[in-house]
Amino acid sequence: MAWLRGFRGARVNTANPAFEETLAAFAPKFRSLDWHVQIVGRIDLIVARAALLAGLGHPVVLDHFGGARGEDGTQAKEFQALLNLLQARNVYVKLSAPYDRTRSPGYPEMTALARALIEAKPDRMLWGTNWPHPGQDRSIPVSQISPYQKIDNEMLVERLSEWCPDAAARKRILVDNPELLYRFPTAA
């Protein structure tokens, strides 16, 4: 299995009709490979399986703000359940693709969500741009390549600085947490 060297995880989508069964079936394999599972999708489907995710026995990364939508705010019951799920200690949230989590240009609604997540568990936050920003047009047949979204990557970096103004916490999100999760070799 030398071809697996360097892999760190596998991604599962909540849109999969067999989402829960897939997680249950593959969890022992992921654990034996020392992989994490990355989940992308709807927050309601993620938090409905909080007990399963917390009990998987290996790291779980919830992509794209764990599916939280900016317009729903921090008091939404699903977002509060997401904050509770972070207490499981094996769950990470990736602060990525804010443009898919809100309709507002500049993503102002995402600030409160990002700050609440960072405050809850800074040691379980990750950041990513989601480059090359895949399109969201589901009307395009799967046999065709959908166009990428035009996203201002510099603004994504600026947003992280707004969400997390503390330089030490930003270093944790950008360097320390990914280094631990992905087992990057440390500099000698």
Side-chain angles (χ1 to χ4, degrees):
M1 294 237 260
W3 65 274
L4 287 175
R5 210 169 287 137
F7 281 69
R8 296 294 187 247
R11 191 175 194 209
V12 180
N13 194 317
T14 63
N16 175 350
F19 170 63
E20 193 167 341
E21 295 82 3
T22 300
L23 282 178
F26 282 96
K29 293 174 176 65
F30 293 154
R31 194 171 25 258
S32 69
L33 292 168
D34 200 18
W35 283 8
H36 71 276
V37 60
Q38 184 160 312
I39 299 172
V40 64
R42 294 180 17 202
I43 190 171
D44 59 327
L45 298 176
I46 291 170
V47 299
R49 287 149 180 92
L52 171 66
L53 299 177
L56 283 178
H58 56 80
V60 175
V61 176
L62 305 177
D63 211 354
H64 306 332
F65 287 82
R69 299 213 45 90
E71 289 81 2
D72 295 339
T74 59
Q75 296 308 309
K77 68 177 181 171
E78 290 88 0
F79 188 77
Q80 290 298 309
L82 177 63
L83 292 176
N84 288 335
L85 180 55
L86 281 171
Q87 303 309 312
R89 300 296 303 161
N90 68 317
V91 177
Y92 291 80
V93 173
K94 192 178 287 184
L95 306 170
S96 60
Y99 49 84
D100 284 342
R101 312 306 324 145
T102 183
R103 291 183 177 92
S104 298
Y107 335 121
E109 294 88 0
M110 300 309 293
T111 299
L113 274 69
R115 287 181 177 169
L117 288 164
I118 292 166
E119 183 179 326
K121 281 292 182 191
D123 62 327
R124 291 293 181 254
M125 294 298 115
L126 304 164
W127 182 82
T129 64
N130 201 43
W131 184 87
H133 315 296
Q136 297 296 311
D137 187 350
R138 301 296 183 230
S139 66
I140 297 174
V142 72
S143 60
Q144 295 179 14
I145 297 174
S146 62
Y148 294 120
Q149 298 180 64
K150 290 179 175 44
I151 302 297
D152 182 346
N153 288 301
E154 186 175 327
M155 181 175 42
L156 293 176
V157 175
E158 290 169 0
R159 289 302 166 264
L160 177 63
S161 294
E162 291 172 15
W163 300 338
C164 185
D166 179 69
R170 258 193 333 274
K171 179 185 176 286
R172 176 178 255 176
I173 293 166
L174 293 170
V175 178
D176 301 337
N177 297 344
E179 186 174 74
L180 180 68
L181 176 66
Y182 301 117
R183 300 180 308 279
F184 295 143
T186 56

